[in-house]
Amino acid sequence: MDFSLNEEQEMFRGSVRKYLDGGGQTKIAREMAKNNTNLLTKTWKGLAQLGCMGITVKEEYGGAELTTVDQVPVLEELGRALLPGLYLETVAFAAPMIEKFGTTEQKEKYLPGIADGSRTISLAWLEPGKCFNLNDIQMTAKFDGDSMILNGSKTLVPEGNLADTYLVLVRSESETDGKGISFVLVDRNDDGVDYRVLQAMDETRHLTEVNFKNVIVSNSRILGELHRGEDAIEEGLLYLNAALTSIMVGGMDKIVEMCAEYAKIRVQFGQPIGRFQAIKHRIADMKLDLETARSLSYYAVWALDEKAEDAAVAVNSARAFITEAYLRLAGHGIQIHGGIGVTEEIDCHLYLKRAQYYQTYLGNSRLYREKAATALNW
């Protein structure tokens, strides 16, 4: 079974890398840490012009109607550049969710904007003081004829200050067994919606708290079946986490590259540190982690595309392994670079903070191991 990318996919990767290199690679993330979003906005438009936004969206909505595997080169390059923004939540999560569960009206409203890069969507799930358990969702939706009234708060919403639309998980029915949940599409400009940017360890991401106070939206904003959002979220998470593994592999690839290059130029005791066995062995271990992660990621994406029976196992186990491997490599990167590894000038600390961000993004490794075990009927 050959999981290598084909010639066209590698050529597309080359175009994306060349574009991001031209934009300064991690410079975009560094500008976000200074609350300057101009460079991210410019880069987002450039990626849209390259055709990165509508890869999997159907042609009738302005996309290329390709496979999830075709999206892998873009995701890996975004991971190498530590690009902030909502590509993961918009393109890899919201787009397939709307394609599968959306009404014709919702598809016509949201998918063309996603495909041309003019609309971004963020996922609003976690609530203050709660965890990623559907029973913990307390934000309410009360129905009044053809409309519903939303009240509640969401926290750690990725780039909630930039998103045009939130995909919000709300409690639409009183249940305690993970049911009674609905997805609602709420626009950032809807009356009653306000937000504040939170202070985060990874300053390159703008995590926000979003408050919904008596927000009135039409019932037509419900995505999927009413009160059955738990089914949609499980499927959506497979797409999101498969894409996330590709992003993390991209970051790991860059870390290994940085360490190998530094080991050649850093001289200690009259010779490059790459000649010391301690450094050689550590970089070899890092490369082994990287290639294992890449294989797991490719298989997870392929299994999802092919609707393989073990798709859920593949995605959840890949997510669990790669999350920890990324964090491990980021730590090694700091160690190999020594003192300068923790300075502002070198990128090592940015990758470590991003790895720590993903460590608990939508749940930790233990949660995804449990999901993999459940999928195996263990």
Side-chain angles (χ1 to χ4, degrees), residues 178-191:
K179 301 185 183 301
I181 302 298
S182 299
F183 266 115
V184 183
L185 290 153
V186 182
D187 291 338
R188 179 161 55 95
N189 294 327
D190 283 337
D191 290 339

Side-chain angles (χ1 to χ4, degrees), residues 87-149:
Y87 189 92
L88 184 66
E89 291 79 6
T90 302
V91 179
F93 178 71
M97 289 277 286
I98 293 172
E99 289 231 25
K100 177 155 188 179
F101 298 103
T103 62
T104 302
E105 179 188 352
Q106 290 169 344
K107 291 176 184 177
E108 291 175 346
K109 177 178 179 180
Y110 295 105
L111 292 179
I114 292 174
D116 66 20
S118 62
R119 181 182 289 276
T120 54
I121 299 177
S122 189
L123 174 60
W125 178 344
L126 192 65
E127 299 186 3
K130 305 295 182 182
C131 64
F132 291 103
N133 185 323
L134 294 180
N135 289 329
D136 280 349
I137 292 176
Q138 300 298 320
M139 180 173 169
T140 58
K142 292 186 177 179
F143 295 91
D144 182 13
D146 295 333
S147 301
M148 57 185 148
I149 305 169

